[in-house]
Amino acid sequence: MSALKILVIPGSLRTGSLNARLAATAAYEFALLGADVTRISLADFPLPIYDGDLQNKSGVPKHAVNLKRMIGTHHGVLIVTPEYNSSVPPLVKNAIDWVSRVQDAHETRGQVFRERPFAIAAASEGRLGGTRALAALRLILSACRATVIPNQFALSFADAAYDDMDRLKHPADIEAMGALAKQLIDVSQRMM
């Protein structure tokens, strides 16, 4: 059997993003556990703001179709989101909105969300570590009827959470990341 494939999606394009850094750390953890990991950038899938009139006029953008198909080639997905005003940033929400409208032949709309588990994580310089964004992201993915694993990871004080090798340095953070990665792999294997 081929290796379990995990897709890691950082929800930030900002240079030096704490969430992109956490996504890289998560990808490393999944690889240590034997998964075949792909980490992408949403910059490679530029999408207009979702607009039903635009969809009716021009169809679903090719980058939404490509992102949906990228998700579809993986057994599990981790989304690492920043927190903007106690919620998910427009980049993340817009990508989900567009992907939820892609319907390939012999599929129902949004099927890609129902066929694989999702994990969620966030990083923030603050004490809450993006927990409010995680609650919002869990709600959004659940509305797409995705299986969102129970474990989630909110990295508090993320600007000081790494060692000189760019790895998590606090035992509680290392344990939480490991638990999230193991649970996503376990649920992904059960859903295959």
Side-chain angles (χ1 to χ4, degrees):
M1 183 168 100
S2 62
L4 185 81
K5 295 177 72 173
I6 300 293
L7 180 64
V8 177
I9 305 174
S12 177
L13 305 179
R14 187 174 58 79
T15 302
S17 164
L18 295 173
N19 288 278
R21 195 173 183 189
L22 181 58
T25 300
Y28 178 77
E29 183 69 27
F30 284 115
L32 286 177
L33 294 171
D36 180 4
V37 183
T38 305
R39 184 167 42 107
I40 63 169
S41 171
L42 290 176
D44 295 328
F45 302 90
L47 294 166
I49 297 296
Y50 178 76
D51 177 341
D53 289 338
L54 175 64
Q55 180 182 355
N56 289 337
K57 179 181 175 186
S58 305
V60 176
K62 70 176 180 172
H63 290 299
V65 173
N66 292 342
L67 179 56
K68 179 261 176 195
R69 290 179 180 161
M70 172 67 74
I71 292 169
T73 63
H74 290 80
H75 302 104
V77 179
L78 169 65
I79 300 175
V80 184
T81 185
E83 182 175 285
Y84 290 10
N85 298 316
S86 300
S87 191
V88 296
L91 177 69
V92 173
K93 178 69 166 74
N94 193 56
I96 292 169
D97 287 345
W98 274 117
V99 168
S100 73
R101 276 133 179 103
V102 178
Q103 183 175 352
D104 284 324
H106 311 295
E107 285 185 344
T108 58
R109 197 175 90 177
Q111 186 171 331
V112 72
F113 290 103
R114 296 185 298 278
E115 292 184 337
R116 65 208 23 81
F118 286 75
I120 56 176
S124 168
E125 292 180 8
R127 178 176 50 86
L128 297 179
T131 55
R132 293 168 296 197
L134 292 177
L137 182 56
R138 184 176 294 277
L139 181 63
I140 292 163
L141 289 170
S142 295
C144 294
R145 299 188 323 178
T147 297
V148 184
I149 67 168
N151 276 343
Q152 61 184 35
F153 183 41
L155 182 61
S156 303
F157 309 113
D159 54 328
Y162 295 91
D163 63 20
D164 294 339
M165 299 295 292
D166 217 26
R167 300 285 172 236
L168 294 171
K169 66 181 179 182
H170 302 297
D173 293 337
I174 294 166
E175 183 179 338
M177 175 56 75
L180 178 136
K182 287 175 187 162
Q183 189 172 71
L184 183 60
I185 286 173
D186 289 347
V187 175
S188 298
Q189 288 173 331
R190 285 198 305 268
M191 289 182 70
M192 288 174 65

